[in-house]
Amino acid sequence: MSVDAAATFTKDETIALEKLKSWLSSRMRTIKLPQLLIEVDNDLQFTKEFLLPDNQSKRDADEIRAILVTLMAHGCFIGSYTMARLTQGVTYKQIQNITDWQLTEDAQRLALAIIVNAISKLDVSKQWGLGKTSTSDGQRFEYRRKSLRQTYSTKFGDFALEFYTFVADNYAPYYSTPIECTERDAPYVLDGILYNESDLDIEEHYSDFATF
């Protein structure tokens, strides 16, 4: 069996890799998702993009908490109703109001750009790449709920929705868009590169051959 030369490491590279693995292991910690979101938001204040215009100049703890709870409700597929029952001090009505009026597509792009830019500035992320190369691919999920973008997947034997996601070489997921599972990915390849709000300077992009 032949071995790709690009997949092998020199002695110095192997030593450097072991040092990096040791450094990462010594700094890994166990943390719950709510606490992680609070810490990241305290540093980056990405939730300001989800605040109403009149409130963006101030940070009310209760409002920030409600936004983070809403993000977890959707990001973890918990749902507004169940999340409200699991959380004290944040009601279903609050979660739905934030969902309807504050989690806009533009706000999500701007908030994601803040996080992606922060990832790109980390020394550890530069060990993988400088954010100049990226790739994109789609992932399908069963989606039985009625919506305008509901198409039948012969692979799943049920209705499904595809999320077409872009990731830079520093592992920053800088763009994602939902599309119908029966669509080809090709029309959306340039969307992530042209319409993301991050500071990434993408010079080359890769996608699989089934895209075209």
Side-chain angles (χ1 to χ4, degrees), residues 71-209:
L71 290 174
M72 287 191 294
H74 298 297
C76 299
F77 300 102
I78 297 174
S80 302
Y81 178 75
T82 303
M83 196 69 194
R85 298 187 64 184
L86 295 173
T87 308
Q88 295 181 352
V90 180
T91 66
Y92 171 79
K93 184 177 180 180
Q94 283 179 288
I95 295 175
Q96 282 300 98
N97 188 65
I98 293 173
T99 300
D100 292 339
W101 298 103
Q102 295 171 239
L103 294 188
T104 63
E105 184 176 351
D106 288 342
Q108 292 179 52
R109 288 183 183 180
L110 292 171
L112 178 60
I114 292 173
I115 296 174
V116 168
N117 291 340
I119 292 174
S120 301
K121 293 177 182 178
L122 294 173
D123 289 338
V124 67
S125 72
K126 296 175 183 177
Q127 298 293 326
W128 287 281
L130 300 177
K132 295 184 179 296
T133 302
S134 66
T135 185
S136 59
D137 201 359
Q139 188 173 10
R140 294 176 183 176
F141 298 89
E142 290 185 11
Y143 192 78
R144 300 177 182 177
R145 184 176 179 180
K146 291 184 179 180
S147 67
L148 293 176
R149 290 186 172 181
Q150 185 186 43
T151 47
Y152 189 83
S153 171
T154 55
K155 180 179 180 180
F156 288 161
D158 206 336
F159 291 99
L161 184 68
E162 180 173 327
F163 284 88
Y164 195 57
T165 304
F166 294 70
V167 180
D169 57 4
N170 60 357
Y171 285 93
Y174 64 90
Y175 189 83
S176 183
T177 185
I179 63 176
E180 294 182 5
C181 67
T182 54
E183 286 189 282
R184 298 294 256 172
D185 301 341
Y188 303 94
V189 171
L190 293 179
D191 287 2
I193 300 173
L194 297 177
Y195 302 130
N196 81 88
E197 300 290 339
S198 73
D199 294 335
L200 292 174
D201 184 18
I202 303 299
E203 295 180 353
E204 55 183 355
H205 183 79
Y206 295 88
S207 61
D208 58 51
F209 67 89

